Amino acid sequence: MSDAAANAETAVRTPRERARAQTIADIVRLGRDHLATHGAAALSLRAVARDLGVVSSAVYRYVANRDELLTLLLVDAYNELGDAVDAAVNARPERDFAGRFTALGLAVRGWALREPARYGLLFGSPVPGYQAPASQTTAPGTRVIYRLVGILDAAYRAGDLTPPACAAVVPPPVPPALAADFETIRAELGLAVPDVLVANGVLAWTSLFGAVSFEVFGQYGSETFSARDELFEHHLAVLAGVAGFSSI
Amino acid sequence: MSDAAANAETAVRTPRERARAQTIADIVRLGRDHLATHGAAALSLRAVARDLGVVSSAVYRYVANRDELLTLLLVDAYNELGDAVDAAVNARPERDFAGRFTALGLAVRGWALREPARYGLLFGSPVPGYQAPASQTTAPGTRVIYRLVGILDAAYRAGDLTPPACAAVVPPPVPPALAADFETIRAELGLAVPDVLVANGVLAWTSLFGAVSFEVFGQYGSETFSARDELFEHHLAVLAGVAGFSSI
DNA sequence: TGTACATCAGTGAACGCGCGTTCACTGATGTAC
DNA sequence: TGTACATCAGTGAACGCGCGTTCACTGATGTAC
């Protein structure tokens, strides 16, 4: 269920309010379908109104304009992805940090392949002319990275995460300006992870989404790789090593 | 210069043909500007015609329809990226394989940051309703990966590329189905690189574009990282290690 | 060299479409006394 | 409990916009004899 719909429903008192919440939920659901089949650029209030069986101007009772609907759908998608990731991670034992890392990666890929257009809205090229309002999208938009950070930090505190030690992949020292960024992040999130592991954690994060995006956006072409599950799992295993896990 | 324009100009004989080639080049240039400022979804033949100072139907003398213009622009962008990468790689000594790897990565990022909208056209979410014709886009679209593959294969043949050997990042064995894909690639491109290095090379490739996409598409947010050059260079260094370079 | 014809670039009007958004309105549902 | 009023959902018409694409046309540029 979408966050917007859930919020609206919890605040319900009168039948009128209940109907209103239901209509908003319907709008989000129809917008989601439209997004999934036609892409963000083609999303239109008139199309949603048609699907809702209502005249186009009626939608303005519920949504101020097109951008606000896009924001609702953005939040909705972020939360669905976040829910999928949480469920997958929570299904692994709390102390199986490497397993949780892998579960997170597989969940992201699974959701992305199921919802390519919505994944594209979140992680593809920005919608021209649309700027997501930080106040509404930041929290849902950071769920996955915060979850990943949580796994890495917990693993580090438990002694399960160590900087890669062999010559081939020892990363260069983190330059001061970057170390300052890392210090800020550590302070804000209350982390213990040292610089080298933060750097590699960020790389694992971007690389995970890079692999997923290449697959979802068709960069591999249609014929190069037939064993895509195996390719992704292999990549995930290497990324786990980059992030500092040794138990794979 | 765009590929389409170059092709047209090399075939020039009569003044009429020269004028025609010039107009096509102008159309591509104006379309490129429009793309860069308004995004692919907003690209329109009418807008290009306006900028060209011509009535909208006149453009149909040169371009069959909107999709064909998109294809021209796609090829144009792929070639500009390919040229930038080639120039950067060629500026390094032929046997400095790690340096060439790094130069390739920096060139991709540099071009992407200069041309975010065109980068988005190539590597972002697909344009809804548009399918790039493989016959025209495959060759320019594979220039960067082929260049990368060439560097890695040459490095391997020269003995400069070795599978990461320490326990933390030894990748798991490549499963048979994936090994079969790799064998096909090796045969098609005449490569010597073993499975483990192909797998890690593909990962380095997707990760490079993942890091660039996160930056270009705004996934880092506006405040998290102030030292973005350093972050990317650090990532590149780690990816070089993943790919099998040890001399960094 | 000069004339008749063919080719081509560009015009201007039109078709039909879908879009976001506004606005005065009708009725139904709720609320206050 | 019943009535007067306020709130709200949804209507239907309209505004102005830009789009892709077609088509018959005018003139200029080229080509063949």
Side-chain angles (χ1 to χ4, degrees):
Chain A
M1 175 181 305
S2 86
D3 189 59
N7 280 347
E9 283 179 19
T10 56
V12 156
R13 297 267 180 286
T14 70
R16 210 179 231 174
E17 278 173 350
R18 208 174 309 129
R20 184 175 178 82
Q22 182 58 53
T23 305
I24 290 183
D26 285 348
I27 289 175
V28 169
R29 182 175 46 79
L30 293 168
R32 191 190 313 179
D33 295 349
H34 214 260
L35 205 63
T37 52
H38 303 98
L43 177 74
S44 85
L45 286 185
R46 289 190 104 110
V48 169
R50 269 194 301 275
D51 291 356
L52 195 60
V54 118
V55 99
S56 69
S57 55
V59 180
Y60 285 84
R61 294 276 163 209
Y62 302 94
V63 159
N65 49 40
R66 181 178 179 271
D67 279 7
E68 193 178 298
L69 176 59
L70 253 187
T71 301
L72 283 178
L73 294 171
L74 205 62
V75 169
D76 177 65
Y78 271 131
N79 277 318
E80 204 180 279
L81 171 61
D83 290 349
V85 164
D86 279 348
V89 169
N90 292 340
R92 302 285 186 114
E94 202 173 340
R95 308 198 66 79
D96 178 12
F97 304 109
R100 290 190 147 200
F101 174 87
T102 304
L104 183 145
L106 291 173
V108 169
R109 175 173 180 259
W111 187 82
L113 290 178
R114 261 179 277 127
E115 300 284 347
R118 293 166 76 200
Y119 177 86
L121 176 64
L122 304 186
F123 299 101
S125 14
V127 179
Y130 170 75
Q131 174 72 18
S135 63
Q136 292 167 71
T137 56
T138 299
T142 50
R143 284 180 61 180
V144 172
I145 178 58
Y146 280 7
R147 194 73 215 253
L148 174 59
V149 165
I151 293 169
L152 295 181
D153 195 59
Y156 177 75
R157 289 175 194 267
D160 279 18
L161 208 68
T162 50
C166 65
V169 291
V170 161
V174 172
L178 191 54
D181 285 344
F182 289 173
E183 185 51 42
T184 308
I185 295 170
R186 242 191 318 262
E188 273 180 13
L189 304 181
L191 305 180
V193 200
D195 280 356
V196 162
L197 287 180
V198 176
N200 281 22
V202 175
L203 178 59
W205 174 44
T206 64
S207 299
L208 161 64
F209 280 90
V212 170
S213 291
F214 258 36
E215 207 174 332
V216 172
F217 298 159
Q219 294 295 331
Y220 286 147
S222 53
E223 294 175 3
T224 311
F225 294 114
S226 58
R228 297 199 172 181
D229 292 353
E230 287 88 344
L231 179 66
F232 184 79
E233 280 157 26
H234 197 275
H235 284 175
L236 255 193
V238 177
L239 289 178
V242 168
F245 290 108
S246 51
S247 60
I248 296 193
Chain B
M1 175 182 307
S2 87
D3 190 58
N7 279 347
E9 284 178 17
T10 57
V12 157
R13 296 270 180 284
T14 70
R16 211 179 232 177
E17 278 174 349
R18 207 173 311 129
R20 182 174 180 83
Q22 182 57 53
T23 304
I24 290 183
D26 285 347
I27 289 175
V28 169
R29 182 175 46 79
L30 293 168
R32 191 189 313 180
D33 295 347
H34 214 261
L35 206 63
T37 52
H38 302 98
L43 177 75
S44 85
L45 286 186
R46 291 189 105 110
V48 169
R50 269 195 302 275
D51 290 356
L52 195 61
V54 119
V55 98
S56 69
S57 55
V59 180
Y60 285 84
R61 293 275 162 211
Y62 302 94
V63 159
N65 50 39
R66 181 179 180 271
D67 280 6
E68 192 177 298
L69 176 58
L70 253 187
T71 301
L72 284 179
L73 293 171
L74 206 62
V75 169
D76 176 64
Y78 272 131
N79 276 320
E80 204 180 277
L81 172 61
D83 290 348
V85 164
D86 279 348
V89 169
N90 292 341
R92 302 284 187 115
E94 201 172 341
R95 308 198 66 78
D96 178 12
F97 304 109
R100 290 191 147 200
F101 173 86
T102 304
L104 182 145
L106 290 174
V108 169
R109 175 172 180 261
W111 187 83
L113 290 178
R114 261 179 277 127
E115 300 283 348
R118 293 164 76 201
Y119 176 86
L121 176 63
L122 304 185
F123 299 101
S125 13
V127 180
Y130 170 74
Q131 175 72 18
S135 62
Q136 291 169 71
T137 56
T138 298
T142 49
R143 284 179 60 179
V144 172
I145 178 59
Y146 280 8
R147 195 72 215 253
L148 175 58
V149 164
I151 294 169
L152 295 181
D153 195 59
Y156 177 75
R157 289 175 196 267
D160 279 18
L161 208 68
T162 50
C166 66
V169 291
V170 161
V174 172
L178 192 54
D181 284 344
F182 289 172
E183 185 50 44
T184 307
I185 295 170
R186 243 191 316 262
E188 274 179 13
L189 303 181
L191 304 180
V193 199
D195 281 354
V196 162
L197 286 180
V198 176
N200 282 20
V202 174
L203 177 58
W205 175 45
T206 63
S207 300
L208 162 64
F209 281 90
V212 171
S213 291
F214 258 36
E215 207 174 332
V216 173
F217 297 159
Q219 294 295 331
Y220 286 148
S222 53
E223 295 176 0
T224 311
F225 294 113
S226 58
R228 297 199 172 181
D229 292 353
E230 287 88 344
L231 179 65
F232 184 78
E233 280 158 26
H234 196 275
H235 284 176
L236 255 193
V238 176
L239 288 178
V242 167
F245 290 107
S246 50
S247 60
I248 295 195

